[in-house]
Amino acid sequence: MKRNIPVSIAVLGIAVVLALVSWFVLPADVMVQLSAQGQMANTTAKPVAIGVPLALAVLGSVLSIKASEEKIMKSFVMAVIGIVLMVFTLVIN
């Protein structure tokens, strides 16, 4: 994959915007896991529920900018996983 800095910066921006939205929308105890019946299975504090996916997205974006050609895709996938986790958290809460 060719190095694409604007895409990495856009992913970083999306992650920051989602984190800000999550901070104001999510309750203090955030549901992070669903049971097979669709019930709440596990909760965590809001800073953890926002911080972990944000850290994944930021780290993945920064690494995709600085990584060697062979590791760009892995770093980009890590950033996208962080964004997907944030969207999932917003949807289930």
Side-chain angles (χ1 to χ4, degrees):
M1 182 176 177
K2 192 177 94 172
R3 193 177 308 268
N4 199 344
I5 294 174
V7 172
S8 298
I9 292 173
V11 168
L12 182 62
I14 291 169
V16 170
V17 168
L18 281 172
L20 288 172
V21 168
S22 297
W23 187 261
F24 292 108
V25 172
L26 293 175
D29 288 327
V30 179
M31 179 173 46
V32 292
Q33 187 177 16
L34 292 170
S35 68
Q37 293 80 24
Q39 302 296 322
M40 179 172 39
N42 197 5
T43 62
T44 189
K46 185 192 302 191
V48 174
I50 297 171
V52 171
L54 180 62
L56 274 174
V58 169
L59 185 63
S61 294
V62 170
L63 287 177
S64 68
I65 292 171
K66 297 184 176 219
S68 63
E69 290 293 324
E70 300 85 34
K71 296 182 181 179
I72 289 175
M73 190 59 159
K74 291 178 187 176
S75 303
F76 187 71
V77 168
M78 182 169 60
V80 171
I81 288 172
I83 290 175
V84 169
L85 286 174
M86 278 192 257
V87 170
F88 177 73
T89 303
L90 282 168
V91 169
I92 66 172
N93 282 285

